[in-house]
Amino acid sequence: MAVTVKQVTCKKDLRAFVDFPNKLYKGNQYFVPKLFLDEYNTFNPKKNPCYKFSEASLYLAYKDGRLAGRVAAIINHKANEIWNHKEVRYGWIDFIEDVEVAGALMKAVEEFGRSKGMEIISGPLGFTDFDPEGMLIAGYDPLCTMALIYNYPYYPEVMEKLGYTKEIDWVEYKVYVPEVMPEKIIKVSEIVTQRYGFSIRKLTKKEVIKEGLGYELFQVINETYKNLYNFTPLTDDMVDKYIKDYLGILDFEYVTVVMDPEGKMAAYGIAVPSIRIALQKSRGRLLPFGWFRILKSLYFKHEECIELLLVGVKPEYRSKGLMALIFSDLIPRMRRGHFVYGETNAELETNTTVQQQWGMFKTEQKKRRRIYTKKL
């Protein structure tokens, strides 16, 4: 039977779209489900402020009458304006091992892009950089971080058969928590504080949510990420959402900011106890007991991994050694939390400035993921 593709137009279709990976990867020990409600709300224009500068169309593929794949077509008009291109993005792509199914899905995205005047197609990408992005091309056996995507090894093979080529790669590292503070971190931290006047500040939930420091933090995030591939600056609406949905549940024990001599934020390190195993056990659902497993992993009985969610330094301070100061604060806290290692999120392979920071630790490059692109 031929492959058919239908556009998602109702709640039933959207539930099938969000839940498809859980069926595709059932029994796979390396797949980490996303929170179902979080994913569902991502595609609700009333819940996701990215729709104010983006448009999207979701598709489901069927073969022999059975659901066989999904994909989202997204046009981020703000990013297209900033980066001076006409790009349609594909994201949330999953499919059975079948070139015909994948081809039908990609054709739907391509046609959507052409109908809107786009000239290139790239992905996997989300609405912004805070959505899952990059197709895994190496490192299929470790668990993914909860912010990123897992896919089977046949995915990149199929994309290349469909004529898609590499645009850029990201790499991810496993960073072991040292038992003894590295001497280099101690020395650099002393110089940074005594010679340059920088200092560590620990934030509280009240300061971040009610006293406005969350907005200052995201302003610094915008500054540190603005020159990275395809970055979309966070709007006030987006910051409101992230503060409400995510910062409210962070354990601020593992959030460290560096203040400059004038008392302004200069750098930040946000680490999050991993909830990957809790998500697997709960299959991405909060009910009936998923919420308990997640809170337990976040605050009480930690998994051995802590995820290095966001780490950044304002451009004018990148030669000052502020990362050493951040880790001089975080490492003792990680040891007290009995974490064995941290995992980075995806870092551009060209971002040697960040990768050099991991030279202070024992590390392993565990994963590589890729953006595949094609001209329309």
Side-chain angles (χ1 to χ4, degrees), residues 61-79:
Y62 293 83
K63 186 167 186 177
D64 298 331
R66 300 184 65 179
L67 184 57
R70 68 168 190 172
V71 73
I74 300 166
I75 298 176
N76 180 328
H77 295 288
K78 183 184 291 287

Side-chain angles (χ1 to χ4, degrees), residues 255-275:
V255 177
T256 300
V257 297
V258 175
M259 312 301 288
D260 69 16
E262 285 71 47
K264 301 292 185 181
M265 284 189 197
Y268 54 87
I270 303 174
V272 181
S274 180
I275 59 171

Side-chain angles (χ1 to χ4, degrees), residues 7 47 66 130 182 187 206 227 256 258-259 263 293 303 332 349 371:
Q7 186 178 14
K47 300 280 188 178
R66 300 184 65 179
F130 288 83
K187 289 181 178 179
K206 181 181 178 182
N227 294 322
T256 300
V258 175
M259 312 301 288
R293 294 188 181 103
E303 299 173 18
E349 61 180 350
I371 294 297

Side-chain angles (χ1 to χ4, degrees), residues 104-120:
L105 287 167
M106 296 310 299
K107 182 180 178 181
V109 181
E110 292 166 8
E111 290 178 348
F112 175 81
R114 289 192 191 98
S115 73
K116 302 292 183 176
M118 299 299 105
E119 297 174 351
I120 56 173

Side-chain angles (χ1 to χ4, degrees), residues 38 41 90 108 133 147 157 195 203 250 264 273 301 309 322 334 355 363:
D38 196 35
N41 286 338
Y90 64 92
E133 54 189 11
E157 297 173 7
R195 182 181 301 177
L203 303 178
L250 278 184
K264 301 292 185 181
K301 189 175 181 181
L309 188 63
L322 301 192
M334 292 176 182
Q355 291 157 27
T363 62

